[in-house]
Amino acid sequence: MAVTFAAMNAASRPENSAIDASAHPAVSVIMPVLNEERHLRNAVRHILDQDYPGELEVVIALGPSKDRTDAIAAELVAEDPRVHTVPNPTGRTPAALNAAIKASRHPVVVRVDGHGMLSPDYIATAVRLLAETGAANVGGIMHAEGENDWERAVAAAMTSKIGVGNAAFHTGGAAAAADTVYLGVFRREVLEQQGGYNEEFIRAQDWELNYRIREAGHLIWFSPQLRVSYRPRPSVRTLAKQYKDYGRWRRVVTRYHRGSVNLRYLAAPAALLANAVGIVLGAALTPWALLVPAAYVAGITVGSLPAGRGLPPGARLRIPLALATMHMCWGYGFLTSPRSLARKVIASRRPAVKSTPTTADA
């Protein structure tokens, strides 16, 4: 039986931080998809098979896919009345998320991507954490898992500190308040209060929304108990585009909120510049300058050894290539991100919306 979201929202205030997770509030799972024929059916199955006794619906926002994604989604709708679809003609993730939120109806909103596989107790654990912490949004670990040697190499790179630094949602860590989390399980009232996602953020829309939620005085909570299996990009080209976009939009974020920059974000651009200078000087002036890119290659090769423990030889051999692709493309995206993009996004800035105190709070 569904519970009212007003009661859940009250839990986010320090003076009333507990909700009754045993009530099993109804849950809406929203899923933006584009060209996900390979993983969509399995991802939805992981949702429908959740060990959660409450009411559940899945809303899939369909972008203009070029594969069989739409046909598979239609099959899923026909097979299970809990599955629904909405159109997302732009194909952009934040627009898809907002369309799915609008079409959904339950007080807890779970974001899942079309290539993400929820662990069996994910929703039950997330609802419990919302109750225990009073958070507005909870999230956990992006557990990358590959299905072939290249994807296993990328997964190893994405879950190692040499690949992504100390980001807790990649490498794990203790449960704690966080600036942002992977995907997220939200209280609907907070989502609606903040007006959903800012659709100008083609990437990094999670960070921007969580920034507004925190500015409004709510808590974002990371917990390693929450785990989503993630399928990495299937080729060097698609991984390169993914990380170039990550770097491009991280630069937008640093211009949008200057206090968010840190050394982890500057490592990849610095490595790219150092390697480029070393190669140019090595070719034009002195071969000694080539020691810089040589040292980088040696570093990622040595660093890939612990990341590749337990993997087959083919995967271990590909980890340095995955690391270099991630670092160099992220750095390139960061360095070439246009100021005009940041200005456009900053112009769309939404102020955080704070709760209006009720009579009971006074």
Side-chain angles (χ1 to χ4, degrees):
M1 177 179 178
V3 299
T4 64
F5 210 84
M8 295 188 68
N9 186 53
S12 67
R13 295 190 290 270
E15 66 271 26
N16 187 12
S17 60
I19 62 172
D20 184 5
S22 65
H24 307 303
V27 172
S28 296
V29 181
I30 58 172
M31 178 182 285
V33 298
L34 180 69
N35 297 321
E36 290 286 2
E37 79 172 339
R38 183 178 173 192
H39 299 301
L40 179 58
R41 176 171 288 278
N42 196 22
V44 172
R45 180 51 49 198
H46 277 74
I47 298 168
L48 298 177
D49 289 347
Q50 284 288 295
D51 183 16
Y52 184 70
E55 187 179 351
L56 183 71
E57 69 172 350
V58 182
V59 182
I60 304 171
L62 295 170
S65 296
K66 297 179 181 178
D67 59 11
R68 293 190 64 255
T69 296
D70 286 11
I72 294 169
E75 293 169 2
L76 292 166
V77 171
E79 293 165 8
D80 196 305
R82 294 174 292 175
V83 182
H84 315 282
T85 61
V86 292
N88 173 35
T90 70
R92 294 179 173 181
T93 299
L97 291 166
N98 284 342
I101 292 168
K102 184 177 179 180
S104 66
R105 55 197 174 91
H106 293 324
V108 176
V109 179
V110 179
R111 177 186 170 178
V112 183
D113 287 341
H115 44 272
M117 313 295 160
L118 299 185
S119 55
D121 62 347
Y122 183 89
I123 291 177
T125 301
V127 170
R128 175 176 58 80
L129 289 171
L130 286 173
E132 291 177 353
T133 65
N137 179 21
V138 298
I141 293 176
M142 176 183 177
H143 182 62
E145 292 181 329
E147 297 178 335
N148 55 44
D149 281 346
W150 166 251
E151 291 180 0
R152 293 185 188 102
V154 176
M158 291 179 71
T159 54
S160 67
K161 290 188 176 181
I162 191 174
V164 294
N166 61 351
F169 70 83
H170 280 297
T171 61
D179 288 344
T180 190
V181 289
Y182 179 56
L183 300 179
V185 178
F186 300 85
R187 300 170 185 268
R188 172 182 292 279
E189 187 165 291
V190 175
L191 276 180
E192 293 178 346
Q193 179 190 77
Q194 299 305 322
Y197 291 85
N198 185 332
E199 295 186 12
E200 294 297 336
F201 274 80
I202 308 306
R203 298 277 185 179
Q205 65 274 161
D206 294 319
W207 180 91
E208 193 277 337
L209 173 59
N210 284 318
Y211 175 75
R212 281 185 282 127
I213 290 173
R214 289 187 290 106
E215 286 288 289
H218 299 293
L219 175 68
I220 309 296
W221 189 258
F222 166 82
S223 173
Q225 297 178 58
L226 295 172
R227 180 179 294 253
V228 181
S229 293
Y230 168 88
R231 299 294 185 258
R233 296 298 192 268
S235 67
V236 174
R237 181 182 63 81
T238 53
L239 181 69
K241 182 180 185 305
Q242 178 187 19
Y243 272 78
K244 183 190 69 134
D245 289 346
Y246 282 170
R248 177 186 177 100
W249 282 92
R250 177 50 63 181
R251 185 66 178 275
V252 171
V253 166
T254 62
R255 287 168 170 158
Y256 181 92
H257 177 48
R258 296 191 180 277
S260 68
V261 69
N262 61 40
L263 292 177
R264 179 165 66 90
Y265 299 147
L266 300 178
L272 174 61
L273 288 174
N275 285 332
V277 170
I279 291 171
V280 170
L281 293 181
L285 297 177
T286 171
W288 287 104
L290 294 174
L291 288 175
V292 174
Y296 172 77
V297 172
I300 61 173
T301 300
V302 172
S304 73
L305 297 178
R309 286 197 188 103
L311 294 180
R316 292 202 301 270
L317 289 172
R318 289 169 171 82
I319 294 175
L321 175 59
L323 289 169
T325 302
M326 291 162 57
H327 293 162
M328 297 300 103
C329 293
W330 202 102
Y332 177 80
F334 188 91
L335 292 170
T336 60
S337 182
R339 286 186 177 273
S340 59
L341 179 59
R343 285 195 294 267
K344 180 180 178 182
V345 167
I346 290 169
S348 73
R349 187 191 299 268
R350 299 179 184 178
V353 179
K354 298 188 178 183
S355 301
T356 302
T358 64
T359 303
D361 296 327

